[in-house]
Amino acid sequence: MTDHLSKSQAAEESENAGSNPSANPTMGDIIAQRLGRRDLLKGALAVTALGMTAAPLALALAASSQVAAQGSNTTPSFNFTEIEAGSDERHHVAEGYDADVLIRWGDPVLPGARAFDPQAQNPATQARQFGYNNDYLGYLPLDGSRRGLLVVNHEYTNEELMFPSLPGRQDLRTVRFKDMTRELVDIEMMAHGGSVLEVARGADGKWSVVAGSPFARRITAETEMEITGPAAGHDRLKTSYDPAGRKVRGMLNNCAGAMTPWGTWLTCEENVNGYFWGQLADTHPEARNYRRMGIPGNWYNWGQHHERFDIVKEPNEANRFGWVVEIDPRDPNSVPKKRTAMGRFKHEGAANIVNRDGRFVVYQGDDERFDYVYRFVTAAAVNTATPAANRDILDAGTLSVARYDADGTGQWLPLVFGQGPLTPANGFNSQADVVIECRRAADLLGATKMDRPEDVEANPKTNKVYVMLTNNSRRTAAQVDAVNPRAENRFGHIVEMTPPDGDHAAATFRWEVMLRCGDPSIAAVGATFNPNTSKDGWFGMPDNCAVDAAGRLWIATDGNAPSKTGRADGIWALETEGPARGTSKLFYRVPNGAEMCGPELTPDLETFFVAVQHPGEPDEDDPNAKPATFNTPSTRWPDFKDGMPPRPSVVAITRRGGGKIAM
Ligand code: FEO
Ligand code: CA
Ligand code: CA
């Protein structure tokens, strides 16, 4: 890693991977059947949207708990003919499937939005259009698997690919952001955040975005949000804009996320350090905290035009980012909530499951080399009779961090003020301090330093929990441990965790390394794919993942490239049970320069939504690769028109002639 990183490289270095809890399949299935479009529309227009769907959600929750408790161990195998690994300007899907672009950066979202014109973008235009770098996708059924809300994270922006006026990448060290005007910064800010789309499947089986939907929403870096939980109102969150420390504008670098059983969207702030600049004195009270989070990251020059992103001028603003945000997508006027009880770090995602005792459990990765895996368990049980009662359930509970012991067991270490070292002697004077400096608190507890924890996913059919460790080239031989078994871990691995008796709130767990990734034909790599895996079927750098309604595990990767693995990123189907365990097959791959995000299947398993992020970047490790710009991208997917840059897009994959994916 050099000190001259593209945002994508930097993200690969330190970003988190997301989880896709809406892949809680049984839940989705039943929501699909039970939640009618009419009820949800009423919900969207009502002040108290959550109350509208009480009875159906109650059924959904009860059924889901049953499935989790049963721990049925049967998952069908994947059935499709895999594609050839490789990389070119186009995307590819398995034979017999169609991969159709659903929406691209710049396409209209809100009423009155203009058609995309790369030469005529401005902040107001972008604020009504689909944002950049789609990442997490969550599907909330309105009418089963044929009509629903698709929520989308817009993680970050690639100015060098977006703006025709730029000669190339902008950064602090080499060009001092000299071409990044206030206008361009404001476009970037409007291209961040999230989108809520109503999507529908037509009689021809094709998906489209419903124009003029009352649910349509854009969330940006300026959308006002509420801060809730133990850090709300704390002095360390107070700014000149918000002297009470309870409201904040925007969410940043939202990577992965999840849907909750009560119908909300959890969207996770990851590399928030990159948005801040300025330098605090070493003696500043926040200096140690900011150092641990990599603040200032100086990836953007927003601080040049907006004082709140300059930590010298507004030293508490950076404490207001790095949280899990909860949004009710059915109410476009709802105020997003930053739920501080779940801690402040570089959240990849928020995999969730309703525990057998009814409490809500959220597994989270902190995507940084040598950072941690966390778990949050709510104090209250999910209220199945009155979903509205769950509105603030994420504000009270116990956050813990994982320690993986060499004997294959592990401990959840509670991050609770006053317990163990989390006391005033170590600078923790309240639970607010613990959640604001979550990483430092976890350091003191002796958590296990992992190889960049990205997405986590819990499988309600088996109660197994999968953790994607994407890579860590900096781990030395002396730093190898049982759960991070390779030095210079370039290709990552997957850890499987098993709670005792299916109790996701227990203090302990068992774990094993399920898969070491990379090219199995190179002995030195030490990959452990099942020998039945083909030359196309292996992958490196697992990042996002999804468990589908049948309990099968799909892996999305970030960082494969011709120079590293001879292949683009994509979606791999990974067998987890029985003799086929560890067998992997390639289902879909992205065009040049892109990363694979957002894997999300509809409850009926007939549609696979995926997000193609930052197409057109160069192959960073190829010494002959030319820098990519608006005029010289490595692909012009999906439009392939002169003058039209590559555009991050959501793709809907369906089976030609209908039917379930890979069954
Ligand atoms: Fe944004 Fe860790 O992936
Ligand atoms: Ca990533
Ligand atoms: Ca990710």
Side-chain angles (χ1 to χ4, degrees):
M1 167 182 171
T2 68
D3 59 348
H4 181 68
L5 292 175
S6 70
K7 272 95 183 175
S8 166
Q9 274 181 305
E12 187 189 327
E13 295 288 323
S14 65
E15 118 198 287
N16 319 328
S19 73
N20 196 332
S22 56
N24 180 336
T26 310
M27 189 79 68
D29 243 344
I30 295 167
I31 290 175
Q33 291 163 9
R34 301 286 182 178
L35 294 190
R37 169 173 161 72
R38 196 169 54 87
D39 285 345
L40 285 161
L41 190 56
K42 276 195 296 186
L45 301 174
V47 178
T48 54
L50 288 168
M52 304 303 295
T53 53
L57 277 170
L59 293 170
L61 291 164
S64 164
S65 304
Q66 278 172 10
V67 170
Q70 285 165 6
S72 134
N73 212 23
T74 53
T75 54
S77 287
F78 295 98
N79 182 20
F80 66 92
T81 304
E82 72 177 330
I83 58 171
E84 194 173 356
S87 188
D88 59 39
E89 294 190 19
R90 297 180 181 272
H91 66 166
H92 299 268
V93 69
E95 181 59 39
Y97 292 84
D98 289 321
D100 301 310
V101 172
L102 177 69
I103 189 167
R104 304 159 294 186
W105 166 52
D107 282 340
V109 171
L110 298 180
R114 290 209 322 233
F116 179 65
D117 177 353
Q119 301 290 344
Q121 283 298 91
N122 64 53
T125 303
Q126 177 65 76
R128 308 190 79 75
Q129 297 169 333
F130 196 59
Y132 205 76
N133 272 345
N134 32 221
D135 199 304
Y136 171 73
L137 304 174
Y139 180 82
L140 180 68
L142 296 180
D143 182 9
S145 293
R146 298 197 74 85
R147 179 179 291 269
L149 299 184
L150 192 68
V151 302
V152 185
N153 289 358
H154 298 297
E155 189 183 30
Y156 70 105
T157 48
N158 287 75
E159 73 285 346
E160 76 282 10
L161 295 172
M162 293 171 69
F163 301 129
S165 62
L166 299 183
R169 204 158 70 195
Q170 302 285 297
D171 64 25
L172 184 64
R173 191 179 66 87
T174 60
V175 299
R176 304 199 68 76
F177 294 107
K178 70 181 175 59
D179 301 299
M180 282 303 294
T181 61
R182 166 78 187 250
E183 171 97 345
L184 295 186
V185 164
D186 289 354
I187 296 173
E188 286 188 315
M189 291 176 68
M190 294 302 109
H192 274 69
S195 293
V196 178
L197 312 169
E198 184 179 346
V199 294
R201 194 173 186 194
D204 61 356
K206 300 296 186 187
W207 287 87
S208 60
V209 175
V210 176
S213 167
F215 297 102
R217 185 172 191 185
R218 272 305 322 282
I219 291 158
T220 73
E222 291 286 9
T223 302
E224 189 159 288
M225 311 198 167
E226 185 182 335
I227 299 166
T228 73
H234 193 273
D235 284 348
R236 297 175 75 179
L237 267 60
K238 293 175 180 171
T239 64
S240 52
Y241 166 76
D242 172 31
R246 293 183 179 275
K247 60 179 187 175
V248 57
R249 278 172 292 161
M251 59 184 196
L252 296 175
N253 212 265
N254 291 72
C255 187
M259 302 303 286
T260 67
W262 52 94
T264 61
W265 165 26
L266 301 181
T267 170
C268 301
E269 295 184 310
E270 192 184 29
N271 295 296
V272 298
N273 57 315
Y275 299 84
F276 294 91
W277 77 354
Q279 199 63 51
L280 295 182
D282 282 349
T283 52
H284 191 282
E286 297 297 347
R288 174 172 61 176
N289 164 27
Y290 286 0
R291 221 170 17 249
R292 185 66 178 83
M293 282 285 284
I295 297 167
N298 297 312
W299 302 353
Y300 294 91
N301 67 323
W302 296 9
Q304 188 174 355
H305 303 292
H306 297 271
E307 289 193 347
R308 66 187 176 113
F309 296 109
D310 182 333
I311 56 175
V312 175
K313 292 175 176 152
E314 199 64 81
N316 285 343
E317 183 73 354
N319 277 335
R320 295 143 62 83
F321 294 87
W323 304 103
V324 176
V325 184
E326 184 176 20
I327 300 172
D328 180 359
R330 293 166 296 172
D331 178 1
N333 298 313
S334 63
V335 177
K337 308 264 177 47
K338 294 203 176 185
R339 301 293 190 187
T340 65
M342 286 184 279
R344 174 173 164 272
F345 46 87
K346 295 184 179 179
H347 293 268
E348 178 68 27
N352 65 56
I353 192 163
V354 177
N355 196 38
R356 63 183 197 187
D357 62 5
R359 285 183 289 172
F360 192 62
V361 177
V362 184
Y363 290 98
Q364 317 178 71
D366 180 356
D367 183 2
E368 188 99 58
R369 293 187 190 88
F370 303 110
D371 261 292
Y372 306 128
V373 175
Y374 294 87
R375 183 191 70 178
F376 181 74
V377 181
T378 58
V382 174
N383 190 322
T384 56
T386 312
N390 301 313
R391 180 177 294 126
D392 295 319
I393 192 173
L394 294 173
D395 285 339
T398 303
L399 182 66
S400 304
V401 64
R403 190 189 73 209
Y404 297 81
D405 295 328
D407 63 358
T409 65
Q411 294 280 332
W412 288 109
L413 311 170
L415 291 149
V416 176
F417 168 67
Q419 291 189 13
L422 307 183
T423 61
N426 287 312
F428 296 98
N429 293 297
S430 64
Q431 187 63 19
D433 287 332
V434 172
V435 294
I436 290 169
E437 292 191 75
C438 199
R439 284 179 163 185
R440 191 169 68 83
D443 295 342
L444 291 171
L445 290 176
T448 302
K449 297 178 190 307
M450 308 296 286
D451 286 347
R452 289 188 57 204
E454 295 254 21
D455 218 348
V456 182
E457 197 73 28
N459 186 340
K461 286 208 187 292
T462 61
N463 276 317
K464 298 281 170 58
V465 177
Y466 309 107
V467 183
M468 307 294 121
L469 287 313
T470 195
N471 61 40
N472 182 356
S473 54
R474 289 189 192 161
R475 185 175 293 273
T476 65
Q479 291 171 316
V480 162
D481 60 25
V483 73
N484 299 281
R486 286 188 289 187
E488 293 177 42
N489 181 10
R490 293 178 60 208
F491 304 107
H493 59 288
I494 298 175
V495 168
E496 183 184 77
M497 298 167 64
T498 308
D501 302 321
D503 180 6
H504 292 271
T508 63
F509 56 90
R510 287 185 293 111
W511 64 267
E512 66 177 89
V513 175
M514 175 186 169
L515 178 66
R516 303 182 193 194
C517 307
D519 186 347
S521 74
I522 303 171
V525 168
T528 58
F529 285 92
N530 187 302
N532 292 328
T533 303
S534 81
K535 68 173 178 42
D536 302 305
W538 62 268
F539 56 85
M541 290 73 86
D543 183 333
N544 301 309
C545 60
V547 172
D548 70 20
R552 302 176 303 176
L553 181 62
W554 300 86
I555 309 287
T557 62
D558 171 15
N560 291 270
S563 64
K564 288 184 194 158
T565 55
R567 58 201 59 208
D569 282 324
I571 299 283
W572 276 268
L574 180 63
E575 301 284 356
T576 58
E577 304 300 325
R581 180 172 161 96
T583 308
S584 173
K585 291 201 303 189
L586 178 54
F587 180 69
Y588 172 86
R589 65 175 159 95
V590 294
N592 286 340
E595 164 182 352
M596 187 81 265
C597 296
E600 172 77 332
L601 294 101
T602 50
D604 68 358
L605 283 178
E606 289 201 8
T607 302
F608 200 154
F609 293 110
V610 297
V612 176
Q613 197 187 59
H614 60 75
E617 285 195 347
D619 181 347
E620 302 276 7
D621 283 3
D622 176 357
N624 299 318
K626 294 197 170 56
T629 67
F630 182 91
N631 290 312
T632 60
S634 62
T635 177
R636 289 189 189 278
W637 184 88
D639 300 287
F640 294 108
K641 286 186 189 147
D642 286 345
M644 189 63 86
R647 296 162 80 184
S649 302
V650 175
V651 172
I653 299 171
T654 50
R655 196 161 171 171
R656 214 167 292 141
K660 295 182 189 301
I661 305 273
M663 295 293 266

